[in-house]
Amino acid sequence: MSHQTSPRTPRVVVVGAGIAGVQTAVALRELGHTGPVTVIGAEPHQPYDRPPLSKAVLLGTAEGSAFDVDFEALGVELRLGTAVTGVRPAVRELDTEAGPVPYDFLVVATGAEPLTLPGTEAVPGVHLLRTLDDAARLRPVLERRHDIVVVGAGWIGAEFATAARSAGCAVTVVEAAERPLAGALPAEVTAPMGKWYAEAGVELVTGVRVAAVEPGTVVLADGRRIAAGAVVVGVGARPATAWLAGSGIETGPDGSVTADEGLRTGVPGVYAVGDCASFPSDRYGRRMLVHHWDNALQGPRTVAANILADQEAADRAATTAADAPPEPAVAPAVYDPVPYFWSEQFGRFVQYAGDHADADTLLWRGDPADAATWSVLWLRDGVLRAVLAVDRPRDLSQGRRIMQSGGRLDPVAAADPEISLKTAAR
């Protein structure tokens, strides 16, 4: 086919211009890939970072959050405002609104899309907060100091409620579960966090679903009606992978692309990274889907390394005699991180690292009832599995290093907030 490049300069096409897509392009160049690199983004804006959207961008203290990347100097082609509608791996072509795009290697980095509240799509004043345009639509809402109802008391709900309160809005947060962060953390850990809402002047309504949203009003399942100049929905996100239907690229029940330990899919030449990809973790003994910024930042280097390794292996195979095995290629990279994320809410800096799903012991460092800063540790057979730190960044950084090395803790020392985790490590 006319689009094929020489075997040593394959064309890499990255679908998705968020941090995972952009960092994949950067990592390819840093690791020495010299072939064409194209990043395709559905939004018309220059690629930008998402965390500031719920903070500085939303409050108007920053105009935008474009990545500080010189794509031209890197020789990376951007195709923005272009939706990808499908992929045909047999001929290595993408289908886009602007016509087909050929590739040698394809990286799926389309991230996640927010879940909507059924029946609210056509109701005026209902907002999501995922894109730069979403933040731009919400900024004047905050400036007018509307009464705001936030649906969902997860991480994004708490962050938006924080921003809305600092802008002077009256805020009510409605959560279907009995407590905030019910899907993320155990009840005893979220109990002190639930009190932050009232301290910030936010009304928290738990254990009740939203039955309907009418113009100016949110109707709850128990019949209560809450005045709402605007409604912000933060009830979770799902991998943005519907465009892969029929491609043969496998997705799981959660919609994530099923990648292997090197972030390869089951289709030759196709990789997946970031919020849209799940991967098997030896560290945690299960398949992981991580919807957080650090995962989208760290995974691309594994993808880039494996694209180069796979190309080198193909080149060696093509130039080796048919009766001789190819020489070993570049060592493939394995992706098995200690997940990490942070959240700024109600004047606190909350950080979490690890995964506590299989923990058998929970330890407190500091009592939330009388300490402004505190942490929670999760252990399994003495091995540190996860850390949640509230304004204790040293606990987080030391705990993260201990987890990366598979280290154990003395539980008595670890439970003393005056003793550093580094000292408590065995």
Side-chain angles (χ1 to χ4, degrees):
M1 288 186 287
S2 61
H3 67 260
Q4 286 185 328
T5 58
S6 73
R8 292 199 178 274
T9 57
R11 177 175 185 170
V12 181
V13 176
V14 181
V15 183
I19 187 168
V22 166
Q23 288 299 320
T24 298
V26 170
L28 282 164
R29 292 297 187 229
E30 287 178 345
L31 295 178
H33 175 71
T34 58
V37 177
T38 301
V39 176
I40 301 177
E43 294 181 56
H45 311 288
Q46 277 293 113
Y48 62 88
D49 209 4
R50 292 191 192 280
L53 296 184
S54 61
K55 308 170 186 75
V57 175
L58 187 62
L59 292 171
T61 55
E63 277 308 305
S65 55
F67 292 118
D68 185 17
V69 175
D70 189 336
F71 295 98
E72 190 174 347
L74 285 175
V76 172
E77 178 193 13
L78 291 180
R79 294 194 185 182
L80 303 175
T82 303
V84 176
T85 56
V87 56
R88 290 169 286 122
V91 294
R92 299 209 175 194
E93 275 191 347
L94 288 170
D95 292 318
T96 79
E97 297 170 323
V101 176
Y103 67 85
D104 297 299
F105 291 105
L106 172 65
V107 181
V108 179
T110 40
E113 53 200 4
L115 300 175
T116 59
L117 205 56
T120 64
E121 290 81 356
V123 180
V126 178
H127 300 263
L128 299 167
L129 181 52
R130 180 74 182 180
T131 68
L132 195 58
D133 290 339
D134 292 338
R137 282 188 288 267
L138 274 164
R139 197 189 299 180
V141 172
L142 298 192
E143 288 170 353
R144 290 194 294 268
R145 299 190 177 182
H146 279 301
D147 290 348
I148 293 176
V149 174
V150 180
V151 183
W155 301 110
I156 192 70
E159 289 190 1
F160 179 79
T162 299
R165 279 301 293 146
S166 66
C169 300
V171 182
T172 302
V173 177
V174 179
E175 169 58 54
E178 294 298 330
R179 56 191 176 84
L181 296 167
L185 296 168
E188 63 263 47
V189 176
T190 60
M193 301 168 86
K195 296 171 184 172
W196 298 348
Y197 288 78
E199 291 171 10
V202 174
E203 183 178 356
L204 176 62
V205 179
T206 59
V208 61
R209 294 186 174 276
V210 172
V213 178
E214 301 168 356
T217 306
V218 172
V219 183
L220 303 184
D222 60 10
R224 276 181 284 177
R225 301 172 72 86
I226 304 173
V231 178
V232 176
V233 179
V235 292
R238 183 176 173 83
T241 55
W243 63 280
L244 296 173
S247 68
I249 297 169
E250 183 185 352
T251 56
D254 55 13
S256 66
V257 178
T258 306
D260 69 7
E261 68 280 356
L263 300 179
R264 300 174 180 88
T265 72
V267 173
V270 181
Y271 305 74
V273 66
D275 286 10
C276 66
S278 66
F279 55 89
S281 169
D282 276 350
R283 187 187 300 275
Y284 296 108
R286 64 188 181 92
R287 180 162 285 275
M288 308 282 284
L289 174 61
V290 181
H291 278 193
H292 293 298
W293 184 89
D294 190 68
N295 174 57
L297 176 70
Q298 304 296 340
R301 200 158 184 89
T302 297
V303 170
N306 285 333
I307 287 174
L308 269 63
D310 293 348
Q311 181 60 35
E312 182 178 329
D315 289 350
R316 286 184 187 278
T319 57
T320 301
D323 57 349
E327 296 176 40
V330 174
V334 171
Y335 190 61
D336 196 2
V338 173
Y340 165 73
F341 72 91
W342 79 96
S343 176
E344 295 174 59
Q345 50 183 271
F346 308 120
R348 295 166 176 87
F349 187 47
V350 183
Q351 296 172 282
Y352 178 96
D355 182 87
H356 65 270
D358 68 351
D360 56 26
T361 302
L362 185 150
L363 299 176
W364 290 87
R365 285 172 61 78
D367 182 354
D370 56 25
T373 70
W374 48 275
S375 298
V376 177
L377 310 177
W378 286 268
L379 282 65
R380 181 176 177 85
D381 298 327
V383 176
L384 183 62
R385 302 299 272 172
V387 179
L388 173 81
V390 177
D391 289 327
R392 287 182 68 97
R394 185 180 293 178
D395 282 2
L396 192 289
S397 60
Q398 292 184 0
R400 196 176 182 187
R401 282 196 289 273
I402 291 165
M403 285 185 278
Q404 282 164 343
S405 64
R408 308 174 75 83
L409 291 177
D410 175 339
V412 176
D416 184 342
E418 300 302 316
I419 297 175
S420 74
L421 288 182
K422 191 174 168 182
T423 304
R426 287 172 164 172

PDB file of all heavy atoms in Angstrom, residues 308-317 319-320 324-332:
ATOM      1  N   LEU A 308       8.985   0.478  20.246  1.00  0.00           N
ATOM      2  CA  LEU A 308      10.352   0.382  19.724  1.00  0.00           C
ATOM      3  C   LEU A 308      10.883  -1.042  19.799  1.00  0.00           C
ATOM      4  O   LEU A 308      11.540  -1.524  18.856  1.00  0.00           O
ATOM      5  CB  LEU A 308      11.271   1.339  20.488  1.00  0.00           C
ATOM      6  CG  LEU A 308      11.413   2.748  19.893  1.00  0.00           C
ATOM      7  CD1 LEU A 308      10.088   3.492  19.896  1.00  0.00           C
ATOM      8  CD2 LEU A 308      12.466   3.558  20.640  1.00  0.00           C
ATOM      9  N   ALA A 309      10.596  -1.732  20.913  1.00  0.00           N
ATOM     10  CA  ALA A 309      11.058  -3.119  21.060  1.00  0.00           C
ATOM     11  C   ALA A 309      10.399  -4.023  20.023  1.00  0.00           C
ATOM     12  O   ALA A 309      11.055  -4.885  19.427  1.00  0.00           O
ATOM     13  CB  ALA A 309      10.756  -3.618  22.472  1.00  0.00           C
ATOM     14  N   ASP A 310       9.102  -3.847  19.810  1.00  0.00           N
ATOM     15  CA  ASP A 310       8.385  -4.693  18.847  1.00  0.00           C
ATOM     16  C   ASP A 310       8.863  -4.422  17.428  1.00  0.00           C
ATOM     17  O   ASP A 310       8.961  -5.345  16.602  1.00  0.00           O
ATOM     18  CB  ASP A 310       6.880  -4.461  18.964  1.00  0.00           C
ATOM     19  CG  ASP A 310       6.323  -4.950  20.303  1.00  0.00           C
ATOM     20  OD1 ASP A 310       7.064  -5.656  21.022  1.00  0.00           O
ATOM     21  OD2 ASP A 310       5.163  -4.623  20.621  1.00  0.00           O
ATOM     22  N   GLN A 311       9.144  -3.154  17.118  1.00  0.00           N
ATOM     23  CA  GLN A 311       9.657  -2.838  15.784  1.00  0.00           C
ATOM     24  C   GLN A 311      11.043  -3.443  15.590  1.00  0.00           C
ATOM     25  O   GLN A 311      11.355  -4.003  14.530  1.00  0.00           O
ATOM     26  CB  GLN A 311       9.702  -1.323  15.572  1.00  0.00           C
ATOM     27  CG  GLN A 311      10.205  -0.924  14.194  1.00  0.00           C
ATOM     28  CD  GLN A 311       9.342  -1.473  13.062  1.00  0.00           C
ATOM     29  OE1 GLN A 311       8.129  -1.579  13.215  1.00  0.00           O
ATOM     30  NE2 GLN A 311       9.972  -1.826  11.946  1.00  0.00           N
ATOM     31  N   GLU A 312      11.876  -3.355  16.618  1.00  0.00           N
ATOM     32  CA  GLU A 312      13.218  -3.935  16.506  1.00  0.00           C
ATOM     33  C   GLU A 312      13.136  -5.441  16.319  1.00  0.00           C
ATOM     34  O   GLU A 312      13.878  -6.027  15.509  1.00  0.00           O
ATOM     35  CB  GLU A 312      14.046  -3.604  17.742  1.00  0.00           C
ATOM     36  CG  GLU A 312      15.466  -4.154  17.638  1.00  0.00           C
ATOM     37  CD  GLU A 312      16.331  -3.812  18.834  1.00  0.00           C
ATOM     38  OE1 GLU A 312      16.104  -2.747  19.434  1.00  0.00           O
ATOM     39  OE2 GLU A 312      17.236  -4.599  19.160  1.00  0.00           O
ATOM     40  N   ALA A 313      12.222  -6.074  17.047  1.00  0.00           N
ATOM     41  CA  ALA A 313      12.051  -7.525  16.895  1.00  0.00           C
ATOM     42  C   ALA A 313      11.608  -7.875  15.480  1.00  0.00           C
ATOM     43  O   ALA A 313      12.094  -8.844  14.887  1.00  0.00           O
ATOM     44  CB  ALA A 313      11.032  -8.031  17.914  1.00  0.00           C
ATOM     45  N   ALA A 314      10.697  -7.071  14.932  1.00  0.00           N
ATOM     46  CA  ALA A 314      10.232  -7.321  13.562  1.00  0.00           C
ATOM     47  C   ALA A 314      11.363  -7.122  12.564  1.00  0.00           C
ATOM     48  O   ALA A 314      11.514  -7.896  11.607  1.00  0.00           O
ATOM     49  CB  ALA A 314       9.060  -6.391  13.240  1.00  0.00           C
ATOM     50  N   ASP A 315      12.178  -6.100  12.786  1.00  0.00           N
ATOM     51  CA  ASP A 315      13.301  -5.843  11.886  1.00  0.00           C
ATOM     52  C   ASP A 315      14.310  -6.988  11.936  1.00  0.00           C
ATOM     53  O   ASP A 315      14.831  -7.431  10.910  1.00  0.00           O
ATOM     54  CB  ASP A 315      13.999  -4.531  12.262  1.00  0.00           C
ATOM     55  CG  ASP A 315      13.160  -3.307  11.927  1.00  0.00           C
ATOM     56  OD1 ASP A 315      12.140  -3.459  11.235  1.00  0.00           O
ATOM     57  OD2 ASP A 315      13.534  -2.197  12.372  1.00  0.00           O
ATOM     58  N   ARG A 316      14.578  -7.452  13.153  1.00  0.00           N
ATOM     59  CA  ARG A 316      15.523  -8.572  13.291  1.00  0.00           C
ATOM     60  C   ARG A 316      14.980  -9.810  12.590  1.00  0.00           C
ATOM     61  O   ARG A 316      15.715 -10.522  11.905  1.00  0.00           O
ATOM     62  CB  ARG A 316      15.760  -8.882  14.772  1.00  0.00           C
ATOM     63  CG  ARG A 316      16.625  -7.874  15.512  1.00  0.00           C
ATOM     64  CD  ARG A 316      16.861  -8.348  16.938  1.00  0.00           C
ATOM     65  NE  ARG A 316      17.538  -7.355  17.739  1.00  0.00           N
ATOM     66  CZ  ARG A 316      18.857  -7.151  17.749  1.00  0.00           C
ATOM     67  NH1 ARG A 316      19.617  -7.891  16.971  1.00  0.00           N
ATOM     68  NH2 ARG A 316      19.390  -6.217  18.523  1.00  0.00           N
ATOM     69  N   ALA A 317      13.690 -10.076  12.787  1.00  0.00           N
ATOM     70  CA  ALA A 317      13.083 -11.258  12.159  1.00  0.00           C
ATOM     71  C   ALA A 317      13.156 -11.164  10.637  1.00  0.00           C
ATOM     72  O   ALA A 317      13.394 -12.161   9.950  1.00  0.00           O
ATOM     73  CB  ALA A 317      11.636 -11.401  12.615  1.00  0.00           C
ATOM     74  N   THR A 319      15.398  -9.683   8.861  1.00  0.00           N
ATOM     75  CA  THR A 319      16.752  -9.728   8.311  1.00  0.00           C
ATOM     76  C   THR A 319      17.526 -10.966   8.745  1.00  0.00           C
ATOM     77  O   THR A 319      18.692 -11.122   8.424  1.00  0.00           O
ATOM     78  CB  THR A 319      17.542  -8.476   8.748  1.00  0.00           C
ATOM     79  OG1 THR A 319      17.544  -8.403  10.184  1.00  0.00           O
ATOM     80  CG2 THR A 319      16.916  -7.215   8.176  1.00  0.00           C
ATOM     81  N   THR A 320      16.872 -11.872   9.475  1.00  0.00           N
ATOM     82  CA  THR A 320      17.526 -13.096   9.942  1.00  0.00           C
ATOM     83  C   THR A 320      17.205 -14.222   8.976  1.00  0.00           C
ATOM     84  O   THR A 320      16.098 -14.317   8.458  1.00  0.00           O
ATOM     85  CB  THR A 320      17.031 -13.462  11.357  1.00  0.00           C
ATOM     86  OG1 THR A 320      17.331 -12.379  12.229  1.00  0.00           O
ATOM     87  CG2 THR A 320      17.716 -14.716  11.879  1.00  0.00           C
ATOM     88  N   ALA A 324      17.204 -19.611  11.051  1.00  0.00           N
ATOM     89  CA  ALA A 324      17.824 -19.224  12.320  1.00  0.00           C
ATOM     90  C   ALA A 324      16.844 -18.404  13.141  1.00  0.00           C
ATOM     91  O   ALA A 324      16.127 -17.569  12.608  1.00  0.00           O
ATOM     92  CB  ALA A 324      19.077 -18.402  12.061  1.00  0.00           C
ATOM     93  N   PRO A 325      16.789 -18.631  14.452  1.00  0.00           N
ATOM     94  CA  PRO A 325      15.887 -17.812  15.285  1.00  0.00           C
ATOM     95  C   PRO A 325      16.378 -16.375  15.339  1.00  0.00           C
ATOM     96  O   PRO A 325      17.591 -16.133  15.306  1.00  0.00           O
ATOM     97  CB  PRO A 325      15.982 -18.477  16.659  1.00  0.00           C
ATOM     98  CG  PRO A 325      17.321 -19.149  16.674  1.00  0.00           C
ATOM     99  CD  PRO A 325      17.588 -19.574  15.250  1.00  0.00           C
ATOM    100  N   PRO A 326      15.460 -15.422  15.404  1.00  0.00           N
ATOM    101  CA  PRO A 326      15.889 -14.019  15.498  1.00  0.00           C
ATOM    102  C   PRO A 326      16.623 -13.768  16.808  1.00  0.00           C
ATOM    103  O   PRO A 326      16.363 -14.414  17.814  1.00  0.00           O
ATOM    104  CB  PRO A 326      14.571 -13.239  15.441  1.00  0.00           C
ATOM    105  CG  PRO A 326      13.522 -14.216  15.830  1.00  0.00           C
ATOM    106  CD  PRO A 326      14.006 -15.564  15.399  1.00  0.00           C
ATOM    107  N   GLU A 327      17.565 -12.845  16.767  1.00  0.00           N
ATOM    108  CA  GLU A 327      18.265 -12.464  17.990  1.00  0.00           C
ATOM    109  C   GLU A 327      17.286 -11.796  18.947  1.00  0.00           C
ATOM    110  O   GLU A 327      16.273 -11.238  18.526  1.00  0.00           O
ATOM    111  CB  GLU A 327      19.381 -11.474  17.661  1.00  0.00           C
ATOM    112  CG  GLU A 327      20.488 -12.043  16.786  1.00  0.00           C
ATOM    113  CD  GLU A 327      21.488 -10.971  16.439  1.00  0.00           C
ATOM    114  OE1 GLU A 327      21.817 -10.156  17.325  1.00  0.00           O
ATOM    115  OE2 GLU A 327      21.916 -10.937  15.273  1.00  0.00           O
ATOM    116  N   PRO A 328      17.598 -11.848  20.236  1.00  0.00           N
ATOM    117  CA  PRO A 328      16.712 -11.181  21.197  1.00  0.00           C
ATOM    118  C   PRO A 328      16.579  -9.691  20.880  1.00  0.00           C
ATOM    119  O   PRO A 328      17.566  -9.030  20.563  1.00  0.00           O
ATOM    120  CB  PRO A 328      17.396 -11.399  22.538  1.00  0.00           C
ATOM    121  CG  PRO A 328      18.323 -12.556  22.329  1.00  0.00           C
ATOM    122  CD  PRO A 328      18.724 -12.516  20.892  1.00  0.00           C
ATOM    123  N   ALA A 329      15.379  -9.203  20.957  1.00  0.00           N
ATOM    124  CA  ALA A 329      15.138  -7.780  20.704  1.00  0.00           C
ATOM    125  C   ALA A 329      15.343  -6.999  21.990  1.00  0.00           C
ATOM    126  O   ALA A 329      15.727  -7.542  23.020  1.00  0.00           O
ATOM    127  CB  ALA A 329      13.720  -7.575  20.179  1.00  0.00           C
ATOM    128  N   VAL A 330      15.079  -5.720  21.928  1.00  0.00           N
ATOM    129  CA  VAL A 330      15.090  -4.880  23.127  1.00  0.00           C
ATOM    130  C   VAL A 330      14.147  -5.499  24.161  1.00  0.00           C
ATOM    131  O   VAL A 330      13.072  -5.986  23.820  1.00  0.00           O
ATOM    132  CB  VAL A 330      14.600  -3.461  22.768  1.00  0.00           C
ATOM    133  CG1 VAL A 330      14.452  -2.607  24.020  1.00  0.00           C
ATOM    134  CG2 VAL A 330      15.556  -2.812  21.787  1.00  0.00           C
ATOM    135  N   ALA A 331      14.571  -5.490  25.421  1.00  0.00           N
ATOM    136  CA  ALA A 331      13.736  -6.097  26.464  1.00  0.00           C
ATOM    137  C   ALA A 331      12.396  -5.376  26.543  1.00  0.00           C
ATOM    138  O   ALA A 331      12.362  -4.140  26.630  1.00  0.00           O
ATOM    139  CB  ALA A 331      14.445  -6.021  27.807  1.00  0.00           C
ATOM    140  N   PRO A 332      11.298  -6.120  26.490  1.00  0.00           N
ATOM    141  CA  PRO A 332       9.994  -5.463  26.589  1.00  0.00           C
ATOM    142  C   PRO A 332       9.779  -4.869  27.977  1.00  0.00           C
ATOM    143  O   PRO A 332      10.326  -5.351  28.971  1.00  0.00           O
ATOM    144  CB  PRO A 332       9.004  -6.599  26.327  1.00  0.00           C
ATOM    145  CG  PRO A 332       9.746  -7.853  26.646  1.00  0.00           C
ATOM    146  CD  PRO A 332      11.186  -7.582  26.344  1.00  0.00           C
TER     147      PRO A 332
END
